[in-house]
Amino acid sequence: MTIQRPVFGRKRSSATSVPRHPGPDEDGVSRIIPKSVWDGPSGDFLRELGQSPDDASNMMPTKDLVQARHDAAFAQQTQFVDRINAQLPDGTSVGPYAMIPWSVWQTEFGQMLMVNCEFYPTQPWNTMLLPDDERSSFVLDLPVHPGAYPATLQPAIERYLAEFREELDAARAYTDESFASGEMDLKVFGEALDKLKSNVIAMAHSMTSITFGEEVYDRHLRMFGETLGWPFAKRLMGK
């Protein structure tokens, strides 16, 4: 059976200038939609949708909030891996391999991944489970966790993330312009954000398939994909 890979979008050039966020409001709070936008017709429209400037969804995540979410995802991964290892044969164990390496999350793209997408490196969609040692590798017929990444992987991932960010920025600029004109079109940015999330996941899995080879990726998919809850596992496996 041929497994059909998820695909991710290509770069679309745009001449749109992306405005910088104005920063914290006068009360010192950083809001996604600044308080100034809520004055006048734009604010009336947003309130009709049941929103307000102080909704939690309108607050820029603080460093403490992002760290707390990261810590929670890490704790969940630790518990999950422990549970998997408890179900494997004696003397067999696996460890988590981050398909988008941790080092990428510490670059300029970390904010897009963690704030815009609410993604974290230890979440299941970014996790591959690989044997801890040679015995486990023999039992599971998967390669031992490499503990490192090919030198070309991070630059390749960053090139794709730069393209994805450009598309999101163009959608954000369009949304800002629509609010300025009174049109107040939120749909374009929402669709762009959904596409960004799908593209990031598909890119991570495609790059991992290239790194380990399709045969290894497919075996891991069949062995652990559904357990990890990969969003496309059943579709890829023809279920």
Side-chain angles (χ1 to χ4, degrees):
M1 178 183 69
T2 301
I3 293 180
Q4 299 296 320
R5 301 275 175 234
V7 295
F8 46 95
R10 295 297 180 184
K11 177 181 178 181
R12 290 200 301 261
S13 61
S14 172
T16 304
S17 175
V18 181
R20 294 180 62 86
H21 190 278
D25 290 321
E26 292 181 357
D27 59 2
V29 178
S30 292
R31 294 175 174 84
I32 296 172
I33 301 177
K35 265 197 169 181
S36 58
V37 176
W38 295 82
D39 296 332
S42 297
D44 294 340
F45 173 76
L46 290 167
R47 288 185 178 88
E48 286 178 6
L49 296 177
Q51 301 181 27
S52 74
D54 293 322
D55 287 342
S57 60
N58 192 45
M59 299 298 172
M60 287 282 199
T62 63
K63 288 183 178 179
D64 288 344
L65 177 59
V66 171
Q67 185 64 51
R69 290 174 176 172
H70 177 280
D71 292 346
F74 183 81
Q76 289 173 351
Q77 183 190 69
T78 300
Q79 294 172 0
F80 173 78
V81 173
D82 287 346
R83 188 164 65 249
I84 293 297
N85 282 331
Q87 297 171 5
L88 293 176
D90 290 344
T92 305
S93 63
V94 294
Y97 171 92
M99 290 183 278
I100 296 180
W102 282 67
S103 55
V104 173
W105 301 77
Q106 297 167 356
T107 69
E108 61 183 298
F109 300 107
Q111 177 165 338
M112 180 180 74
L113 292 169
M114 291 186 283
V115 175
N116 293 118
C117 297
E118 295 188 12
F119 284 166
Y120 293 90
T122 55
Q123 287 175 330
W125 67 265
N126 191 49
T127 301
M128 195 175 187
L129 300 174
L130 293 175
D132 286 326
D133 50 41
E134 292 294 343
R135 183 186 185 284
S136 300
S137 174
F138 177 79
V139 172
L140 299 175
D141 193 21
L142 290 171
V144 175
H145 193 302
Y149 297 88
T152 57
L153 181 61
Q154 181 163 337
I157 289 175
E158 290 184 359
R159 283 194 296 272
Y160 281 117
L161 291 178
E163 293 178 3
F164 300 161
R165 183 174 61 186
E166 183 176 327
E167 292 189 7
L168 185 69
D169 285 347
R172 181 183 289 112
Y174 169 84
T175 302
D176 290 345
E177 291 170 0
S178 78
F179 269 77
S181 68
E183 184 180 356
M184 293 171 283
D185 184 352
L186 298 170
K187 183 178 180 181
V188 170
F189 184 77
E191 291 177 345
L193 188 57
D194 288 342
K195 182 180 178 183
L196 169 64
K197 293 178 180 180
S198 296
N199 279 345
V200 168
I201 293 174
M203 179 271 296
H205 285 260
S206 294
M207 298 299 288
T208 300
S209 178
I210 293 171
T211 298
F212 289 97
E214 288 197 9
E215 184 177 346
V216 169
Y217 179 88
D218 292 349
R219 175 166 176 76
H220 178 277
L221 171 67
R222 292 186 173 91
M223 189 176 296
F224 294 118
E226 286 191 79
T227 303
L228 285 163
W230 286 356
F232 45 77
K234 289 186 178 180
R235 175 166 60 85
L236 286 180
M237 295 171 66
K239 293 187 177 182

